[in-house]
Amino acid sequence: MNQQIILSGSGGQGILFLTRFFAEAALEYGLAVLTSEVHGMAMRGGTVLSHVKVGSFSSPLVRYGHADVAMFMNAENVAVHEGFVRPEGCLYINSNRPGKGFSCDASRVAATLNLPAAGNVALLGFAVAGGKLFCDEQGSRLVLSRISGPGRRQANLRVFMTGYQIGLEPAGAS
């Protein structure tokens, strides 16, 4: 199993949490993993780009045009970072409008559940349901449960499963 993933968003949207999730999930599945984040001086609201490579790779950075999957917390970042995705790759976008890839209004999903900071987890559930990631629903719940703080564990699992169910719907499934 080799998979290259790009995560894009803004500071405060949970991109680094998703990076940790994928790293822990790869280890749970017994897979090698490399990660790299580009956030430097990005403060809350600044652009964050994270690279995740699962499998046997020697460099943590995803080369332009080589990502298998990309997850975008900001639809505006698609124009900036979609070049990392290979032509057959898959894009999951936090958006209320259809466009490139698969869209889920993950921010609204999280807000509806009274957890506005958990849009990243809703998008994760949506993407896992799409079946293009190396991890499945059961393994994802296990890892999410492990890395979420005790006060956020049940909330994150609820948001994840809501996003997952949306991803299983005919319009959301890939």
Coordinates of all heavy atoms in Angstrom, one line a residue, residues 21-84:
F21 N -3.9 12.3 12.6 CA -4.8 11.2 12.4 C -4.2 10.2 11.4 O -4.2 9.0 11.6 CB -6.2 11.7 12.0 CG -7.0 10.5 11.5 CD1 -7.7 9.8 12.4 CD2 -7.1 10.2 10.1 CE1 -8.5 8.7 11.9 CE2 -7.8 9.1 9.7 CZ -8.5 8.4 10.6
F22 N -3.8 10.7 10.2 CA -3.3 9.8 9.2 C -2.1 9.1 9.6 O -1.9 7.9 9.2 CB -3.2 10.6 7.8 CG -4.5 10.8 7.2 CD1 -4.9 12.1 6.9 CD2 -5.3 9.8 6.7 CE1 -6.1 12.4 6.3 CE2 -6.5 10.0 6.1 CZ -6.9 11.3 5.9
A23 N -1.2 9.8 10.3 CA 0.1 9.1 10.7 C -0.3 8.0 11.7 O 0.2 6.9 11.6 CB 1.0 10.2 11.4
E24 N -1.2 8.3 12.7 CA -1.5 7.2 13.6 C -2.3 6.1 13.0 O -2.1 4.9 13.3 CB -2.4 7.9 14.8 CG -1.6 8.8 15.6 CD -0.7 8.2 16.6 OE1 -0.9 7.0 16.9 OE2 0.3 8.8 17.0
A25 N -3.1 6.4 12.0 CA -3.9 5.4 11.3 C -2.9 4.5 10.5 O -3.1 3.3 10.5 CB -4.9 6.0 10.3
A26 N -2.0 5.1 9.8 CA -1.0 4.3 9.1 C -0.3 3.3 10.1 O -0.2 2.1 9.8 CB 0.0 5.1 8.4
L27 N 0.1 3.8 11.2 CA 0.8 2.9 12.2 C -0.2 1.8 12.7 O 0.2 0.7 12.9 CB 1.3 3.8 13.4 CG 2.4 4.7 13.0 CD1 2.8 5.6 14.2 CD2 3.6 4.0 12.5
E28 N -1.4 2.2 12.9 CA -2.4 1.2 13.3 C -2.6 0.1 12.3 O -2.8 -1.1 12.6 CB -3.8 1.9 13.5 CG -4.9 1.0 13.9 CD -4.7 0.4 15.3 OE1 -4.1 1.1 16.2 OE2 -5.2 -0.7 15.5
Y29 N -2.4 0.4 11.0 CA -2.5 -0.6 9.9 C -1.2 -1.3 9.6 O -1.1 -2.1 8.7 CB -3.1 0.1 8.7 CG -4.5 0.3 8.7 CD1 -5.0 1.5 9.3 CD2 -5.5 -0.6 8.2 CE1 -6.4 1.8 9.3 CE2 -6.8 -0.3 8.2 CZ -7.3 0.9 8.8 OH -8.6 1.1 8.8
G30 N -0.2 -0.9 10.4 CA 1.2 -1.5 10.2 C 1.9 -1.0 9.0 O 2.7 -1.7 8.4
L31 N 1.6 0.2 8.6 CA 2.2 0.8 7.4 C 3.2 1.9 7.8 O 3.0 2.6 8.8 CB 1.1 1.5 6.5 CG 0.0 0.5 6.1 CD1 -1.2 1.3 5.5 CD2 0.5 -0.5 5.1
A32 N 4.2 2.1 7.0 CA 5.2 3.1 7.2 C 4.5 4.5 6.8 O 3.6 4.5 6.0 CB 6.4 2.9 6.3
V33 N 4.9 5.5 7.5 CA 4.3 6.8 7.2 C 5.4 8.0 7.4 O 6.2 7.9 8.2 CB 3.1 7.1 8.1 CG1 3.5 7.2 9.6 CG2 2.4 8.4 7.7
L34 N 5.3 9.0 6.5 CA 6.1 10.2 6.6 C 5.1 11.3 6.5 O 4.1 11.3 5.7 CB 7.1 10.3 5.4 CG 8.2 9.2 5.4 CD1 8.9 9.3 4.0 CD2 9.1 9.4 6.5
T35 N 5.3 12.4 7.3 CA 4.5 13.6 7.2 C 5.4 14.8 7.2 O 6.5 14.8 7.7 CB 3.6 13.7 8.4 OG1 4.3 13.9 9.6 CG2 2.7 12.5 8.6
S36 N 4.8 15.9 6.6 CA 5.5 17.2 6.6 C 4.4 18.2 6.6 O 3.5 18.1 5.8 CB 6.4 17.3 5.4 OG 7.0 18.6 5.4
E37 N 4.6 19.3 7.4 CA 3.6 20.4 7.4 C 4.3 21.6 7.0 O 5.5 21.9 7.4 CB 3.0 20.6 8.8 CG 2.3 19.4 9.4 CD 3.2 18.7 10.3 OE1 4.1 19.3 10.9 OE2 2.9 17.5 10.5
V38 N 3.6 22.5 6.2 CA 4.2 23.8 5.8 C 3.2 24.8 6.5 O 2.1 25.0 6.0 CB 4.2 24.0 4.3 CG1 4.7 25.3 4.0 CG2 5.0 22.9 3.7
H39 N 3.6 25.3 7.6 CA 2.8 26.3 8.3 C 3.6 27.5 8.8 O 3.1 28.5 9.0 CB 1.9 25.7 9.4 CG 2.6 24.9 10.4 ND1 3.1 25.4 11.6 CD2 2.9 23.6 10.4 CE1 3.7 24.4 12.3 NE2 3.6 23.3 11.5
G40 N 4.9 27.3 8.9 CA 5.8 28.4 9.3 C 5.2 29.5 10.1 O 4.9 29.3 11.3
M41 N 5.1 30.6 9.6 CA 4.6 31.8 10.3 C 3.0 31.9 10.2 O 2.5 32.9 10.6 CB 5.2 33.1 9.7 CG 6.7 33.1 9.9 SD 7.2 33.1 11.6 CE 6.6 34.7 12.1
A42 N 2.4 30.9 9.6 CA 0.9 30.9 9.5 C 0.3 31.0 10.9 O 0.5 30.1 11.7 CB 0.4 29.7 8.8
M43 N -0.4 32.0 11.1 CA -1.2 32.2 12.4 C -2.6 31.7 12.1 O -2.9 31.3 10.9 CB -1.2 33.6 12.8 CG 0.1 34.2 13.2 SD -0.2 35.8 13.8 CE 1.4 36.4 13.9
R44 N -3.4 31.7 13.1 CA -4.9 31.4 12.9 C -5.4 32.2 11.6 O -5.3 33.4 11.6 CB -5.7 31.8 14.1 CG -7.1 31.3 14.1 CD -7.7 31.5 15.5 NE -8.8 30.6 15.7 CZ -8.7 29.3 15.9 NH1 -7.6 28.7 16.0 NH2 -9.8 28.6 16.1
G45 N -5.8 31.4 10.7 CA -6.3 32.1 9.4 C -5.3 32.0 8.3 O -5.6 32.1 7.1
G46 N -4.0 31.7 8.6 CA -3.0 31.6 7.5 C -3.0 30.2 6.9 O -3.5 29.2 7.5
T47 N -2.5 30.1 5.7 CA -2.5 28.8 4.9 C -1.7 27.7 5.6 O -0.6 28.0 6.0 CB -2.1 29.0 3.5 OG1 -3.0 29.9 2.9 CG2 -2.1 27.7 2.7
V48 N -2.2 26.5 5.7 CA -1.5 25.4 6.2 C -1.6 24.3 5.1 O -2.7 24.0 4.6 CB -2.1 24.9 7.5 CG1 -1.4 23.6 8.0 CG2 -2.0 26.0 8.6
L49 N -0.5 23.7 4.8 CA -0.4 22.6 3.8 C 0.3 21.5 4.4 O 1.4 21.7 4.9 CB 0.3 23.0 2.5 CG 0.4 22.0 1.4 CD1 -0.9 21.5 0.9 CD2 1.3 22.5 0.3
S50 N -0.2 20.3 4.4 CA 0.4 19.1 5.0 C 0.5 18.0 4.0 O -0.4 17.8 3.2 CB -0.5 18.7 6.2 OG 0.2 17.6 6.9
H51 N 1.6 17.3 4.0 CA 1.9 16.2 3.1 C 1.9 14.9 4.0 O 2.6 14.9 5.0 CB 3.3 16.3 2.5 CG 3.5 17.6 1.7 ND1 3.7 17.6 0.3 CD2 3.5 18.9 2.0 CE1 3.8 18.8 -0.1 NE2 3.7 19.6 0.9
V52 N 1.3 13.9 3.5 CA 1.3 12.6 4.2 C 1.6 11.5 3.2 O 0.9 11.5 2.1 CB -0.1 12.3 4.9 CG1 0.0 10.9 5.6 CG2 -0.5 13.4 5.9
K53 N 2.6 10.7 3.4 CA 2.9 9.6 2.6 C 2.8 8.3 3.4 O 3.5 8.2 4.4 CB 4.3 9.8 2.0 CG 4.4 10.8 0.9 CD 5.8 10.8 0.3 CE 5.9 11.6 -1.0 NZ 7.3 11.6 -1.5
V54 N 2.0 7.4 2.9 CA 1.8 6.1 3.6 C 2.4 5.1 2.7 O 2.0 5.0 1.5 CB 0.3 5.9 3.8 CG1 0.1 4.5 4.5 CG2 -0.3 7.0 4.7
G55 N 3.3 4.3 3.3 CA 3.9 3.2 2.5 C 5.4 3.5 2.4 O 6.0 4.2 3.2
S56 N 6.1 2.8 1.5 CA 7.5 2.9 1.4 C 8.0 4.1 0.5 O 8.0 4.0 -0.7 CB 8.1 1.6 0.9 OG 7.6 1.3 -0.4
F57 N 8.3 5.2 1.2 CA 8.7 6.4 0.5 C 10.0 6.8 1.3 O 10.2 6.5 2.5 CB 7.7 7.5 0.6 CG 6.5 7.3 -0.2 CD1 5.3 6.8 0.4 CD2 6.5 7.5 -1.6 CE1 4.2 6.5 -0.4 CE2 5.3 7.3 -2.3 CZ 4.2 6.8 -1.7
S58 N 10.8 7.6 0.6 CA 12.1 8.1 1.2 C 12.0 9.6 1.5 O 12.9 10.1 2.2 CB 13.3 7.7 0.4 OG 13.2 8.3 -0.9
S59 N 11.1 10.3 1.0 CA 11.0 11.7 1.2 C 9.5 12.1 1.6 O 8.6 11.5 1.1 CB 11.3 12.5 -0.1 OG 10.8 13.8 0.0
P60 N 9.4 13.0 2.6 CA 8.1 13.3 3.1 C 7.2 14.2 2.2 O 6.0 14.3 2.4 CB 8.3 13.9 4.5 CG 9.7 14.6 4.3 CD 10.4 13.7 3.4
L61 N 7.8 14.9 1.3 CA 7.1 15.8 0.5 C 6.4 15.1 -0.7 O 7.1 14.4 -1.5 CB 7.9 17.0 0.0 CG 8.5 17.8 1.1 CD1 9.4 18.9 0.5 CD2 7.4 18.4 2.0
V62 N 5.2 15.4 -1.0 CA 4.4 14.9 -2.2 C 4.8 15.8 -3.3 O 4.7 17.1 -3.3 CB 2.9 15.0 -1.9 CG1 2.2 14.6 -3.2 CG2 2.5 14.1 -0.8
R63 N 5.3 15.2 -4.4 CA 5.7 16.0 -5.6 C 4.4 16.5 -6.3 O 3.4 15.8 -6.3 CB 6.5 15.1 -6.5 CG 7.9 14.9 -6.0 CD 8.8 14.1 -6.9 NE 8.6 14.2 -8.3 CZ 8.7 13.2 -9.2 NH1 9.0 12.0 -8.8 NH2 8.5 13.5 -10.4
Y64 N 4.6 17.6 -7.0 CA 3.5 18.1 -7.8 C 3.0 17.1 -8.7 O 3.7 16.4 -9.4 CB 4.0 19.4 -8.5 CG 3.0 20.5 -8.7 CD1 2.6 21.2 -7.6 CD2 2.5 20.8 -9.9 CE1 1.7 22.2 -7.7 CE2 1.6 21.8 -10.1 CZ 1.2 22.5 -9.0 OH 0.3 23.5 -9.1
G65 N 1.6 16.9 -8.8 CA 1.0 15.9 -9.7 C 1.1 14.5 -9.2 O 0.7 13.6 -10.0
H66 N 1.4 14.2 -7.9 CA 1.5 12.8 -7.5 C 0.6 12.4 -6.3 O 0.5 11.3 -6.0 CB 3.0 12.6 -7.0 CG 3.9 12.4 -8.2 ND1 4.4 13.5 -8.9 CD2 4.4 11.3 -8.8 CE1 5.1 13.0 -9.9 NE2 5.2 11.7 -9.8
A67 N -0.2 13.3 -5.8 CA -1.1 13.0 -4.7 C -2.2 12.1 -5.2 O -2.8 12.4 -6.2 CB -1.6 14.2 -4.0
D68 N -2.5 11.1 -4.4 CA -3.7 10.3 -4.7 C -5.0 10.9 -4.2 O -6.0 10.7 -4.8 CB -3.5 8.9 -4.0 CG -2.2 8.2 -4.5 OD1 -2.2 7.9 -5.7 OD2 -1.3 8.0 -3.7
V69 N -4.9 11.6 -3.0 CA -6.1 12.2 -2.4 C -5.7 13.5 -1.9 O -4.6 13.7 -1.4 CB -6.6 11.3 -1.2 CG1 -7.7 11.9 -0.5 CG2 -7.0 9.9 -1.7
A70 N -6.6 14.5 -1.9 CA -6.4 15.8 -1.3 C -7.7 16.1 -0.6 O -8.8 15.8 -1.0 CB -6.1 16.9 -2.4
M71 N -7.5 16.7 0.6 CA -8.6 17.2 1.4 C -8.4 18.7 1.6 O -7.4 19.1 2.1 CB -8.7 16.5 2.8 CG -9.0 15.0 2.6 SD -9.0 14.1 4.2 CE -10.2 14.9 5.1
F72 N -9.5 19.5 1.3 CA -9.4 20.9 1.3 C -10.4 21.4 2.3 O -11.6 21.3 2.1 CB -9.7 21.5 0.0 CG -8.6 21.2 -1.1 CD1 -8.8 20.2 -1.9 CD2 -7.5 22.0 -1.2 CE1 -7.8 19.9 -2.9 CE2 -6.5 21.8 -2.1 CZ -6.7 20.7 -3.0
M73 N -10.0 22.1 3.4 CA -10.9 22.7 4.3 C -11.4 24.0 3.8 O -12.4 24.5 4.2 CB -10.2 22.9 5.7 CG -10.1 21.6 6.5 SD -11.7 20.8 6.8 CE -12.6 22.0 7.7
N74 N -10.7 24.6 2.9 CA -11.1 25.9 2.2 C -11.2 25.6 0.7 O -10.3 25.2 0.1 CB -10.1 27.0 2.4 CG -10.0 27.6 3.8 OD1 -10.9 27.4 4.6 ND2 -8.9 28.2 4.1
A75 N -12.4 25.8 0.2 CA -12.6 25.6 -1.2 C -11.7 26.6 -2.1 O -11.2 26.2 -3.1 CB -14.1 25.9 -1.6
E76 N -11.3 27.7 -1.5 CA -10.4 28.7 -2.2 C -9.0 28.1 -2.4 O -8.3 28.5 -3.3 CB -10.3 30.0 -1.4 CG -11.6 30.7 -1.2 CD -12.5 30.2 -0.1 OE1 -11.9 29.6 0.9 OE2 -13.7 30.2 -0.1
N77 N -8.6 27.2 -1.5 CA -7.3 26.6 -1.7 C -7.2 25.6 -2.8 O -6.1 25.2 -3.1 CB -6.9 25.9 -0.3 CG -6.6 26.9 0.7 OD1 -6.8 28.1 0.6 ND2 -6.0 26.4 1.8
V78 N -8.3 25.1 -3.3 CA -8.3 24.2 -4.4 C -7.5 24.7 -5.6 O -6.6 24.1 -6.1 CB -9.7 23.7 -4.9 CG1 -9.6 22.9 -6.1 CG2 -10.4 23.0 -3.8
A79 N -7.7 26.0 -6.0 CA -7.0 26.6 -7.1 C -5.5 26.7 -6.8 O -4.7 26.6 -7.7 CB -7.6 28.0 -7.4
V80 N -5.1 26.8 -5.6 CA -3.7 26.9 -5.2 C -3.0 25.6 -5.1 O -1.9 25.4 -5.6 CB -3.6 27.7 -3.8 CG1 -2.1 27.8 -3.4 CG2 -4.2 29.0 -3.9
H81 N -3.7 24.6 -4.5 CA -3.0 23.3 -4.3 C -3.5 22.1 -5.1 O -2.9 21.0 -4.9 CB -3.1 23.0 -2.8 CG -2.4 24.0 -1.9 ND1 -3.1 24.6 -0.8 CD2 -1.2 24.5 -1.9 CE1 -2.2 25.4 -0.2 NE2 -1.1 25.4 -0.9
E82 N -4.4 22.2 -5.9 CA -4.9 21.1 -6.7 C -3.9 20.5 -7.6 O -3.9 19.3 -8.0 CB -6.2 21.4 -7.4 CG -6.0 22.2 -8.7 CD -7.3 22.4 -9.4 OE1 -8.0 21.4 -9.7 OE2 -7.6 23.6 -9.8
G83 N -2.9 21.3 -8.0 CA -1.8 20.8 -8.8 C -1.0 19.7 -8.2 O -0.3 18.9 -8.9
F84 N -1.1 19.5 -6.9 CA -0.4 18.4 -6.3 C -1.1 17.0 -6.6 O -0.5 16.0 -6.5 CB -0.4 18.5 -4.7 CG 0.7 19.5 -4.2 CD1 0.3 20.8 -3.9 CD2 2.0 19.1 -4.1 CE1 1.3 21.6 -3.5 CE2 3.0 19.9 -3.7 CZ 2.6 21.2 -3.3

